[in-house]
Amino acid sequence: WVRAQGVDVLPWDAEARSLRARLAFLRGLGDVPGDWPDMSDSALLAAGDRWLTPRLAGVRKRADLDAIDLKAALLDLVGWSERRDLERLAPTHLVVPSGSRIRLDYADPGGPVLAVRVQEMFGLAETPRIAGGRVPVTLQLLSPAHRPVQVTRDLAGFWREGYFEVRKELRGRYPKHPWPDDPLRAVAVRGRKRGGDH
């Protein structure tokens, strides 16, 4: 019935969805070395004998599907050299200047998105890049309350232009958080100015 209903019937957890999106991202670039498998629904159905069928032994009813490790199953489609390069080219997380390790979201067809508070990026002049430096991530810069205040792939341009508008608008609302005159010389922080993360 998986063939009849499609791969959407499978119990995709966050890890499996993330891996699928990362592999699709690398395949979509076209110029990244390696043989990256097609992650489309039709391709996964067509290749089911290679990654899914071996794990269906003992599956009698739909609830039995929950026991299948879909992330491990998808990795059966990925060659050894590609597995070695996967984390380097399409990492699950990036470490930002504050020291936080933040998950990259590959679900957006426009490219990977890093949602991070503005204060955690102080001191970083250029947009982080992945895929061997080929692709700048899309930064969804957040307020201290985790609300988006700017979306950009040009961090340098944001510091030059957009930051001061954001600062003017938010510094009165979030006075316990730093809003320096020169964000490139400021120390990145996770929380408030004086003591304690939040």
Side-chain angles (χ1 to χ4, degrees):
W1 30 258
V2 174
R3 284 196 190 279
Q5 297 185 38
V7 293
D8 285 344
V9 74
L10 296 171
W12 296 98
D13 63 12
E15 291 294 313
R17 279 196 304 273
S18 173
L19 175 60
R20 187 177 175 190
R22 290 162 66 210
L23 292 169
F25 162 72
L26 289 171
R27 182 179 176 87
L29 290 179
D31 64 346
V32 175
D35 183 16
W36 302 100
D38 187 344
M39 289 288 111
S40 67
D41 288 2
S42 56
L44 288 177
L45 276 176
D49 289 346
R50 287 180 50 212
W51 70 282
L52 185 60
T53 303
R55 293 169 190 271
L56 292 177
V59 172
R60 297 286 173 258
K61 53 189 183 298
R62 195 173 181 143
D64 294 339
L65 286 175
D66 291 339
I68 297 174
D69 183 344
L70 289 176
K71 180 181 175 186
L74 284 180
L75 282 171
D76 287 344
L77 295 172
V78 182
W80 286 109
S81 63
E82 286 81 8
R83 284 191 203 195
R84 191 186 62 234
D85 292 338
L86 178 60
E87 187 58 32
R88 179 178 59 81
L89 295 171
T92 57
H93 295 75
L94 287 181
V95 176
V96 297
S98 66
S100 293
R101 188 171 173 268
I102 298 178
R103 180 175 286 280
L104 269 169
D105 182 359
Y106 288 84
D108 190 320
V113 175
L114 187 74
V116 58
R117 285 179 290 181
V118 172
Q119 284 80 7
E120 299 208 52
M121 299 300 279
F122 290 160
L124 185 64
E126 297 293 332
T127 306
R129 302 176 78 87
I130 59 171
R134 291 169 179 81
V135 180
V137 302
T138 299
L139 294 170
Q140 187 180 81
L141 297 169
L142 308 174
S143 73
H146 294 271
R147 293 193 180 92
V149 294
Q150 183 87 29
V151 176
T152 184
R153 284 187 177 178
D154 179 11
L155 185 59
F158 170 73
W159 293 138
R160 267 193 322 273
E161 297 155 21
Y163 169 73
F164 296 99
E165 283 300 309
V166 167
R167 177 178 180 248
K168 188 166 73 175
E169 185 184 328
L170 296 183
R171 120 173 118 168
R173 214 179 309 167
Y174 302 102
K176 293 183 178 177
H177 295 264
W179 300 99
D181 291 335
D182 186 349
L184 285 173
R185 291 183 181 221
V187 175
V189 293
R190 293 181 190 175
R192 299 175 178 172
K193 288 183 199 174
R194 288 177 289 282
D197 282 357
H198 80 196

